[in-house]
Amino acid sequence: MSSRLPSWRELPVGAIILEPGSSRRYKTHEWRTLRPVINQDKCIRCRICWSYCPEPAIIEADKPYVTSTNRRYEVSYLIDYDYCKGCGICAQECPVKAIEMVPEVR
Ligand code: SF4
Ligand code: SF4
Protein backbone atom coordinates (compact mmCIF):
# COMPACT_ATOMS: atom_id res chain seq x y z
CA MET A 1 0.00 0.00 0.00
CA SER A 2 1.30 3.45 -0.94
CA SER A 3 2.23 5.73 1.97
CA ARG A 4 0.86 8.77 0.09
CA LEU A 5 -2.90 9.27 -0.04
CA PRO A 6 -4.29 10.03 -3.53
CA SER A 7 -5.35 13.59 -4.31
CA TRP A 8 -8.96 14.24 -5.29
CA ARG A 9 -7.89 14.40 -8.96
CA GLU A 10 -6.60 10.82 -8.76
CA LEU A 11 -9.74 9.34 -7.18
CA PRO A 12 -12.26 7.57 -9.44
CA VAL A 13 -15.55 9.42 -10.00
CA GLY A 14 -17.68 9.05 -6.86
CA ALA A 15 -14.64 7.58 -5.05
CA ILE A 16 -16.00 4.12 -5.84
CA ILE A 17 -13.87 1.09 -5.04
CA LEU A 18 -12.73 -0.49 -8.31
CA GLU A 19 -10.97 -3.55 -6.92
CA PRO A 20 -13.17 -6.24 -5.37
CA GLY A 21 -12.00 -7.70 -2.06
CA SER A 22 -9.64 -4.81 -1.28
CA SER A 23 -10.97 -4.54 2.31
CA ARG A 24 -8.92 -7.65 3.15
CA ARG A 25 -5.85 -5.40 3.15
CA TYR A 26 -7.28 -3.24 5.94
CA LYS A 27 -6.60 -5.23 9.05
CA THR A 28 -8.95 -3.79 11.64
CA HIS A 29 -7.16 -5.27 14.66
CA GLU A 30 -5.33 -2.01 15.30
CA TRP A 31 -8.57 -0.46 16.61
CA ARG A 32 -8.84 -3.06 19.35
CA THR A 33 -8.46 -2.19 23.04
CA LEU A 34 -10.18 -5.35 24.29
CA ARG A 35 -9.58 -8.83 22.89
CA PRO A 36 -12.19 -11.63 22.94
CA VAL A 37 -10.97 -14.97 24.26
CA ILE A 38 -13.13 -18.06 23.77
CA ASN A 39 -13.22 -20.66 26.53
CA GLN A 40 -13.42 -23.84 24.40
CA ASP A 41 -14.61 -25.86 27.40
CA LYS A 42 -17.63 -23.60 27.99
CA CYS A 43 -18.49 -23.09 24.31
CA ILE A 44 -21.53 -25.14 23.21
CA ARG A 45 -20.88 -24.56 19.44
CA CYS A 46 -24.17 -22.71 18.93
CA ARG A 47 -22.67 -20.46 16.22
CA ILE A 48 -24.30 -17.29 17.55
CA CYS A 49 -20.98 -15.39 17.83
CA TRP A 50 -20.16 -16.41 14.24
CA SER A 51 -23.46 -15.04 12.96
CA TYR A 52 -23.35 -11.78 14.95
CA CYS A 53 -19.71 -10.77 14.36
CA PRO A 54 -19.78 -7.74 12.03
CA GLU A 55 -16.30 -8.26 10.53
CA PRO A 56 -16.62 -11.35 10.29
CA ALA A 57 -13.69 -12.36 12.49
CA ILE A 58 -14.96 -15.62 13.95
CA ILE A 59 -13.87 -18.75 12.13
CA GLU A 60 -15.65 -22.08 12.26
CA ALA A 61 -12.67 -24.41 12.12
CA ASP A 62 -12.64 -28.16 11.47
CA LYS A 63 -10.75 -28.60 14.70
CA PRO A 64 -12.12 -31.30 17.02
CA TYR A 65 -12.15 -30.53 20.73
CA VAL A 66 -12.85 -32.72 23.78
CA THR A 67 -14.03 -30.84 26.87
CA SER A 68 -12.94 -31.56 30.42
CA THR A 69 -16.26 -33.44 30.87
CA ASN A 70 -15.44 -35.66 27.84
CA ARG A 71 -17.87 -34.07 25.41
CA ARG A 72 -16.48 -34.18 21.89
CA TYR A 73 -17.12 -31.45 19.32
CA GLU A 74 -16.05 -31.69 15.67
CA VAL A 75 -15.62 -27.94 15.20
CA SER A 76 -14.09 -25.11 17.19
CA TYR A 77 -14.83 -21.40 16.98
CA LEU A 78 -11.67 -19.31 16.75
CA ILE A 79 -11.04 -15.57 16.54
CA ASP A 80 -9.20 -14.10 13.57
CA TYR A 81 -7.21 -11.47 15.47
CA ASP A 82 -6.12 -9.77 12.23
CA TYR A 83 -9.67 -8.51 11.67
CA CYS A 84 -11.35 -8.58 15.10
CA LYS A 85 -11.83 -4.95 16.16
CA GLY A 86 -12.78 -5.77 19.74
CA CYS A 87 -16.38 -4.55 19.61
CA GLY A 88 -17.50 -7.18 22.14
CA ILE A 89 -20.73 -8.14 20.35
CA CYS A 90 -19.73 -11.81 20.40
CA ALA A 91 -19.16 -11.74 24.17
CA GLN A 92 -22.46 -9.94 24.69
CA GLU A 93 -24.44 -12.43 22.58
CA CYS A 94 -22.84 -15.70 23.69
CA PRO A 95 -25.61 -17.52 25.60
CA VAL A 96 -23.23 -19.35 27.95
CA LYS A 97 -20.75 -16.47 28.46
CA ALA A 98 -17.89 -18.46 26.96
CA ILE A 99 -16.22 -15.32 25.56
CA GLU A 100 -14.27 -13.00 27.83
CA MET A 101 -13.06 -9.57 26.73
CA VAL A 102 -9.57 -9.02 28.13
CA PRO A 103 -7.35 -5.93 27.82
CA GLU A 104 -5.25 -5.91 24.65
CA VAL A 105 -1.53 -5.94 25.35
CA ARG A 106 0.74 -4.84 22.50
S1 SF4 B 1 -15.10 -8.60 19.35
FE1 SF4 B 1 -16.43 -7.95 17.63
S2 SF4 B 1 -15.12 -8.08 15.82
FE2 SF4 B 1 -14.13 -9.27 17.43
S3 SF4 B 1 -14.80 -11.37 17.13
FE3 SF4 B 1 -16.20 -10.41 18.62
S4 SF4 B 1 -17.90 -9.62 17.41
FE4 SF4 B 1 -16.22 -10.03 15.99
S1 SF4 C 1 -21.73 -17.88 20.99
FE1 SF4 C 1 -20.55 -18.75 22.68
S2 SF4 C 1 -21.25 -20.86 22.85
FE2 SF4 C 1 -21.94 -20.12 20.86
S3 SF4 C 1 -20.32 -20.76 19.42
FE3 SF4 C 1 -19.82 -18.67 20.11
S4 SF4 C 1 -18.44 -18.94 21.88
FE4 SF4 C 1 -19.48 -20.89 21.51
Side-chain angles (χ1 to χ4, degrees), residues 3-63:
S3 58
R4 185 183 73 80
L5 291 172
S7 76
W8 67 270
R9 287 173 199 271
E10 295 165 322
L11 290 173
V13 174
I16 58 169
I17 296 168
L18 299 171
E19 181 195 344
S22 61
S23 62
R24 282 180 177 273
R25 285 203 299 271
Y26 301 102
K27 298 196 172 170
T28 43
H29 67 98
E30 288 177 4
W31 306 358
R32 198 171 57 229
T33 55
L34 293 174
R35 143 186 299 247
V37 176
I38 300 178
N39 180 329
Q40 296 296 336
D41 241 45
K42 275 176 121 180
C43 171
I44 56 171
R45 276 63 179 174
C46 67
R47 227 185 197 186
I48 287 177
C49 55
W50 179 87
S51 59
Y52 272 82
C53 177
E55 280 305 309
I58 295 188
I59 303 160
E60 186 180 75
D62 288 331
K63 191 175 173 193

